[in-house]
């Protein structure tokens, strides 16, 4: 999700500011951590047996939510910035 945000909000040349993508990534990470309580896989999967079906199902739900969150942030950002 962070790579997608950077692809949409990142700079095209080295002389451009990083602020737009940095802010968008920070917003995403803050929202994700608020929702799930952590950012790292070890913490996100601590309640599951390693490599179990349940762990993979949990990870799939987290990834799907991360995609929705990124889309939401990018859509909200696009609405604020006329192009």
């Amino acid at each position: 999700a962070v790579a997608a945000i950077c692809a949409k909000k990142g700079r095209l040349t080295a002389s451009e500011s990083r602020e737009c993508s940095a802010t968008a990534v920070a917003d995403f990470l803050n929202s994700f951590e608020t929702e799930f309580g952590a950012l790292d896989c070890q913490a996100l999967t601590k309640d599951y047996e390693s490599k179990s079906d349940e762990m993979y199902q949990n990870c799939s739900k987290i990834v799907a939510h991360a995609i929705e969150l990124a889309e939401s942030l990018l859509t909200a950002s696009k609405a604020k910035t006329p192009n």
Side-chain angles (χ1 to χ4, degrees):
V2 170
I5 291 169
C6 288
K8 292 296 269 182
K9 304 298 288 178
R11 55 196 186 147
L12 299 175
T13 66
S15 63
E16 293 179 89
S17 173
R18 295 179 182 171
E19 184 177 346
C20 186
S21 62
T23 300
V25 168
D27 290 346
F28 170 80
L29 293 175
N30 288 333
S31 296
F32 186 95
E33 189 168 25
T34 297
E35 180 77 22
F36 293 105
L39 295 173
D40 62 285
C41 289
Q42 184 175 3
L44 294 167
T45 60
K46 69 179 170 44
D47 296 331
Y48 301 93
E49 182 180 332
S50 181
K51 301 188 189 271
S52 66
D53 286 342
E54 293 82 11
M55 185 195 81
Y56 288 121
Q57 289 171 2
N58 181 61
C59 291
S60 293
K61 289 177 187 176
I62 291 172
V63 169
H65 185 77
I67 292 167
E68 291 172 4
L69 180 58
E71 287 176 339
S72 174
L73 290 170
L74 288 171
T75 300
S77 175
K78 186 176 181 181
K80 291 179 186 177
T81 309
N83 287 340

